Amino acid sequence: MAEFVKNMVSEADKRELHVIYAQFRQGGEIKDEVCRAINKTRLNTFSVSKSIVSAGVGIALDEGLISLDEKICDAFEEYVPKNASNNLLDTRIRHMLTMTTGLKEPLFFADGADRYRVKDWIEYFFNAEFDHAPGERFLYSNFNTYMISCLIEKRAGVNLLEYLRYRLFEPLGIGNPDWTLCPKGHVHAANGLYLNIDELGNFGEMLLHRGEYNGKRLVPEKYIAEATVKHTDSPGKYGSDYLNCGYGYQFWMTPIPDTFLCYGNYGQFCFVMPKKDAVISILTFEGMDWPKLVNVLIDCAKEL
């Protein structure tokens, strides 16, 4: 196990997959790591950000700011079109967490063309087409996560970064966090949170201990337990067959029982294995083949 990361990175190298940072923690200690840069610099975690938002949801629920069963339209009445479909009107926060809102299309992603053109992302969401009843179909969309962030901001009076600054980031050792904003100044949420490999590992440690870090309760244990188990199937082409094992509240299930994965574009991963008391983190910028890193990660983890 002491050479786990080096062996994993070596396997990635054999498949011509590039890894910049990788880290293996067990028993609360860093057992092995690889750093192919001068410093442990922060990188865009892309959709790993979604799992951070989920932790924020757990905190906001505990503080009574939001409810899983409230309808998103009730919170943003000023944006709801007059001809809104029943599918949209019936969409609840839990549907947004599980990517089952009923959207016809996923809408734009972090580097899609509309990302640089659309000015009001909330308006864009409410004017999208919802052709399925909520809870009926899994369709991965950044906008579900973004709207959850906007809801917390609306209730808390500060954006999600500021809301989590002293509730989550500072206690995890993530000082002066960096998170990109939309044109209206709301946190991008679904993407754009920058972390270094140690900070990502700290987040994984918190998840491993069901919301507790360094003896301090940050996120309710009950919420983490609920968020990190399967709530819906995750059919579709997401780059790896290992991502067809189900989806929780912004967490992916894996073929290894009782494990879960935070997963981001271009090779950002935080893989939590409670029964092994282990966290595996990767930060990199692999090209078109980055989904294959999921296979390397999980295949190697099976041997632990």
Side-chain angles (χ1 to χ4, degrees):
M1 292 186 186
E3 296 290 312
F4 173 82
V5 166
K6 294 177 181 64
N7 293 335
M8 180 180 67
V9 171
S10 176
E11 183 61 32
D13 289 343
K14 291 176 185 177
R15 304 187 197 187
E16 298 184 341
L17 301 169
H18 182 57
V19 174
I20 300 176
Y21 303 103
Q23 187 178 91
F24 173 65
R25 299 185 180 205
Q26 192 169 46
E29 298 180 359
I30 298 174
K31 297 292 188 179
D32 191 27
E33 64 181 353
V34 167
C35 300
R36 287 172 164 170
I38 296 174
N39 300 309
K40 290 182 177 179
T41 192
R42 285 177 173 171
L43 298 182
N44 189 343
T45 61
F46 289 93
S47 286
V48 169
S49 306
K50 292 179 172 69
S51 300
I52 301 279
V53 174
S54 182
V57 168
I59 296 169
L61 288 169
D62 190 53
E63 294 183 353
L65 295 183
I66 63 173
S67 164
L68 292 183
D69 288 318
E70 69 174 294
K71 298 177 180 179
I72 193 66
C73 286
D74 291 344
F76 291 91
E77 293 181 348
E78 68 275 23
Y79 279 96
V80 180
K82 293 181 179 179
N83 62 342
S85 68
N86 288 333
N87 292 338
L88 170 58
L89 293 172
D90 289 341
T91 296
R92 302 172 190 270
I93 303 308
R94 68 172 65 251
H95 299 130
M96 308 186 86
L97 283 169
T98 57
M99 300 291 181
T100 58
T101 55
L103 277 166
K104 181 179 181 180
E105 304 290 343
L107 310 181
F108 61 79
F109 282 83
D111 45 9
D114 284 347
R115 158 82 166 81
Y116 311 108
R117 179 184 62 82
V118 175
K119 304 299 182 185
D120 192 329
W121 295 6
I122 298 177
E123 181 182 62
Y124 187 84
F125 171 81
F126 279 105
N127 283 280
E129 186 173 350
F130 292 74
D131 68 343
H132 283 71
E136 185 176 277
R137 181 186 67 159
F138 178 87
L139 183 68
Y140 191 79
S141 171
N142 279 355
F143 273 81
N144 294 325
T145 315
Y146 171 75
M147 287 304 306
I148 291 170
S149 171
C150 290
L151 173 60
I152 294 174
E153 176 181 336
K154 193 169 189 178
R155 299 281 168 75
V158 293
N159 70 24
L160 188 65
L161 186 153
E162 293 304 327
Y163 179 70
L164 294 180
R165 183 182 294 274
Y166 298 110
R167 291 172 171 86
L168 184 69
F169 291 129
E170 290 284 348
L172 286 177
I174 304 172
N176 299 332
D178 303 302
W179 211 337
T180 56
L181 305 178
C182 78
K184 294 290 186 179
H186 310 302
V187 171
H188 195 165
N191 305 113
L193 177 65
Y194 286 72
L195 299 176
N196 66 35
I197 195 68
D198 289 338
E199 293 166 340
L200 180 58
N202 292 350
F203 178 64
E205 285 274 358
M206 184 275 292
L207 295 172
L208 181 66
H209 297 291
R210 294 202 169 185
E212 189 173 288
Y213 184 76
N214 279 347
K216 182 178 180 180
R217 170 64 55 192
L218 303 182
V219 185
E221 180 177 5
K222 182 180 178 181
Y223 177 80
I224 294 295
E226 184 177 351
T228 57
V229 296
K230 179 180 174 179
H231 286 270
T232 184
D233 292 330
S234 56
K237 297 180 179 179
Y238 296 99
S240 168
D241 290 340
Y242 289 161
L243 297 179
N244 293 334
C245 299
Y247 198 72
Y249 292 164
Q250 313 276 286
F251 294 93
W252 296 88
M253 305 301 105
T254 88
I256 301 176
D258 303 312
T259 66
F260 56 92
L261 178 70
C262 313
Y263 171 72
N265 271 11
Y266 308 114
Q268 327 312 321
F269 309 110
C270 186
F271 186 45
V272 182
M273 308 180 71
K275 289 188 175 180
K276 299 292 184 178
D277 195 20
V279 176
I280 307 164
S281 305
I282 297 175
L283 287 174
T284 191
F285 203 89
E286 172 57 45
M288 292 296 293
D289 289 333
W290 59 266
K292 294 179 181 178
L293 277 171
V294 180
N295 300 351
V296 174
L297 168 62
I298 294 177
D299 284 344
C300 290
K302 287 178 180 177
E303 303 301 318
L304 285 172

